[in-house]
């Protein structure tokens, strides 16, 4: 099948398929006699895997590692789990940081009168480097 059909069947845009090919995440596709890219079922599986991994927030480097593990018939599931656990740890850290940012902004927004007065603890915190309330 051609690239537009592969894109439709996998939910990965043709542009992204070409990008993944250009960075070596997927192999260069075979070409038809007329020069069009040709994709097999195994290519579609790989594209679906990449799309799912991206939707879970894995980086391209992590996805590259996952692809190599998937293609390795003697892989250890411990290696896959370790990669997933590392990503989970990173996500938990980012969630904690985002939660802290949200909490600071909530406190700042509540402390700002929001009237015609020029005094604003939000600006004071951002510009003057005052500690968050």
């Amino acid at each position: 099948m051609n690239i537009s059909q592969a894109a439709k069947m996998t939910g990965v845009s043709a542009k992204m398929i070409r990008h993944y090919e250009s960075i070596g995440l997927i192999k260069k596709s075979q070409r038809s006699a007329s020069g069009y890219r040709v994709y097999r079922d195994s290519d579609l599986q790989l594209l679906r895997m990449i799309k799912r991994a991206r939707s879970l927030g894995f980086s391209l480097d992590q996805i590259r590692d996952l692809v190599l593990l998937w293609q390795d018939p003697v892989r250890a599931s411990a290696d896959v789990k370790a990669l997933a656990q590392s990503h989970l740890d990173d996500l938990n850290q980012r969630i904690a940081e985002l939660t802290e940012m949200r909490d600071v902004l909530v406190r700042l927004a509540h402390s700002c009168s929001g009237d015609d007065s020029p005094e604003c603890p939000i600006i004071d915190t951002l510009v003057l480097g005052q500690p968050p309330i």
Side-chain angles (χ1 to χ4, degrees):
M1 78 184 58
N2 65 32
I3 195 167
S4 63
Q5 292 167 323
K8 185 174 182 179
M9 292 188 73
T10 62
V12 178
S13 72
K15 181 178 180 179
M16 286 308 297
I17 294 171
R18 285 189 290 273
H19 174 67
Y20 293 153
E21 189 177 294
S22 74
I23 63 171
L25 190 57
I26 62 174
K27 293 183 296 186
K28 297 246 183 238
S29 61
Q30 295 179 347
R31 299 286 181 144
S32 68
S34 56
Y36 290 103
R37 288 175 169 89
V38 177
Y39 295 92
R40 301 172 309 229
D41 287 339
S42 59
D43 299 321
L44 300 181
Q45 272 187 314
L46 178 56
L47 288 168
R48 286 186 194 105
M49 177 187 175
I50 292 169
K51 181 175 173 61
R52 287 185 200 117
R54 292 293 289 166
S55 74
L56 292 172
F58 283 98
S59 69
L60 289 176
D61 286 336
Q62 291 169 321
I63 293 171
R64 190 178 315 278
D65 292 342
L66 286 168
V67 167
L68 290 172
L69 287 165
W70 175 57
Q71 292 171 338
D72 181 358
V74 294
R75 71 181 167 265
S77 65
D79 294 335
V80 180
K81 183 176 182 175
L83 199 155
Q85 187 62 54
S86 174
H87 181 55
L88 181 59
D89 294 344
D90 290 344
L91 285 174
N92 283 331
Q93 178 63 37
R94 289 187 359 222
I95 289 168
E97 291 167 359
L98 288 170
T99 300
E100 184 178 335
M101 283 189 274
R102 183 204 58 215
D103 293 347
V104 168
L105 286 171
V106 165
R107 287 193 302 273
L108 288 172
H110 286 316
S111 68
C112 182
S113 62
D115 57 16
D116 292 335
S117 168
E119 288 81 25
C120 179
I122 299 169
I123 294 294
D124 294 343
T125 298
L126 296 174
V127 174
L128 303 175
Q130 293 178 347
I133 297 173

